[in-house]
Amino acid sequence: MLWLTRRVASDEAKLRELRRSVENTKHEIYEKYRELLASEVGHLAMSWSVFEMLLDIVIGMIHRHGGKDVIRGSLPTSLKEKVTYLRKAPRVLSAVTHLEAETNAFAEKVQILKETRHDCLHGILLIDPEDFSIFSMRLRYNGAQVQTIGTQRTFKEVGLAVDATLALCQAGAAIFGRFAEAFDDKEAIETHRQFENNVASFAVKQRG
């Protein structure tokens, strides 16, 4: 029976070593996932900053060319207000009426992306150490109530959001140019020329 006891002890030692190996491997995978996710979120933050700056420039231009008189007196501050302001411009300003379809299509792309962006940039992203799934958690204010919103996300979703935001930056640069030309705003047209090249270069560098 001694040989059996020794064999069992040896097998148990092998199992313990195997478990340690598996745990070490899982830990390495988890750390790699965490590193890659942090990188993608960083890319998303940088890309979204470029997009929002373009959006602010376009809205500022619209405001100067009559938006303050027929849309609203003050500049919008939240993303929702900015998108609403942008949508209204072609409906109430004759100089840009022909840009309504393009502006609405651009605004729709923003609407599609905004939840993923909000989860990633204003929420907490948690990685399950067992199956490496991603869970986002953030707060939503509903009047006097504060709600906790939880959403399952995937690594692929975050990566695609980066690609979509880069595309949005390029679409934003195009919208900027269209509005500048429609308003015949010489300064904005020159600024757009510089921005268009910079945005294209930025998109290439972000995705290597």
Side-chain angles (χ1 to χ4, degrees), residues 2 6 9 23 28 35-36 42 55 59 100 115 121 128 148 177-179 183 197 207:
L2 184 59
R6 286 175 177 167
E23 288 304 315
E28 288 170 8
E35 179 186 322
L36 291 171
L55 184 59
I59 287 172
E100 184 171 5
E115 289 300 317
L121 302 187
D128 190 308
T148 302
R178 305 269 200 282
F179 274 83
F183 288 130
N197 292 331
R207 274 312 185 205

Side-chain angles (χ1 to χ4, degrees), residues 172-190:
I175 287 278
F176 178 16
R178 305 269 200 282
F179 274 83
E181 289 170 4
F183 288 130
D184 195 26
D185 187 321
K186 299 294 191 296
E187 185 180 345
I189 289 170
E190 181 54 35

Side-chain angles (χ1 to χ4, degrees), residues 103-177:
T103 301
N104 284 338
F106 177 73
E108 281 304 313
K109 290 174 183 175
V110 178
Q111 291 294 109
I112 291 168
L113 267 176
K114 71 175 187 178
E115 289 300 317
T116 304
R117 165 259 183 187
H118 209 78
D119 283 349
C120 293
L121 302 187
H122 294 289
I124 299 171
L125 291 179
L126 304 169
I127 303 174
D128 190 308
E130 294 301 318
D131 62 7
F132 311 112
S133 59
I134 299 169
F135 185 76
S136 73
M137 187 169 63
R138 62 182 170 90
L139 300 179
R140 177 180 291 167
Y141 298 93
N142 184 15
Q145 302 296 315
V146 180
Q147 300 172 306
T148 302
I149 307 298
T151 311
Q152 286 292 142
R153 292 288 178 191
T154 65
F155 186 82
K156 184 178 180 180
E157 270 184 302
V158 180
L160 289 174
V162 175
D163 293 339
T165 304
L166 289 171
L168 204 58
C169 289
Q170 293 175 305
I175 287 278
F176 178 16

